[in-house]
Amino acid sequence: MTHITVDLPETVFSALRKTPDEFAQEMRVAAAIKWYELGQISQSKAAEIAGLSRAEFINALFRYQVSPCQYTEAELARELSDAD
């Protein structure tokens, strides 16, 4: 596993009421969710980055109010028309 060091001011931990380890985990989740939301990574890869199971990642998506479905309206319409 690769380790990345990020320097942050001490005040961020108390402002968010998180320990440094909790903050680091939440950063992983937030980054994975954003990259997933932008369509840059799959749901499976996002869950892996976040250090969560796929079910836990889907729960995190709901917590962040991000849809687990990554279809545009046009893509969904095309999929549904192909199903007929």
Side-chain angles (χ1 to χ4, degrees), residues 11 45 55 76 80:
T11 56
K45 184 55 69 176
L76 186 56
L80 291 174

Side-chain angles (χ1 to χ4, degrees), residues 71-82:
Y71 282 100
T72 65
E73 188 175 327
E75 289 170 332
L76 186 56
R78 188 170 43 252
E79 289 283 329
L80 291 174
S81 70
D82 290 344

Side-chain angles (χ1 to χ4, degrees), residues 44-84:
S44 296
K45 184 55 69 176
E48 181 182 345
I49 291 168
L52 302 173
S53 69
R54 188 108 176 252
E56 291 168 329
F57 182 72
I58 291 169
N59 286 334
L61 288 172
F62 285 110
R63 210 176 71 219
Y64 276 79
Q65 299 178 353
V66 173
S67 173
C69 300
Q70 293 299 303
Y71 282 100
T72 65
E73 188 175 327
E75 289 170 332
L76 186 56
R78 188 170 43 252
E79 289 283 329
L80 291 174
S81 70
D82 290 344
D84 292 336

Side-chain angles (χ1 to χ4, degrees), residues 6-24 26-27:
V6 178
D7 295 321
L8 298 167
E10 286 290 326
T11 56
V12 300
F13 306 114
S14 62
L16 295 172
R17 295 185 175 99
K18 296 195 180 293
T19 67
D21 287 340
E22 291 169 334
F23 185 86
E26 193 63 27
M27 279 181 54

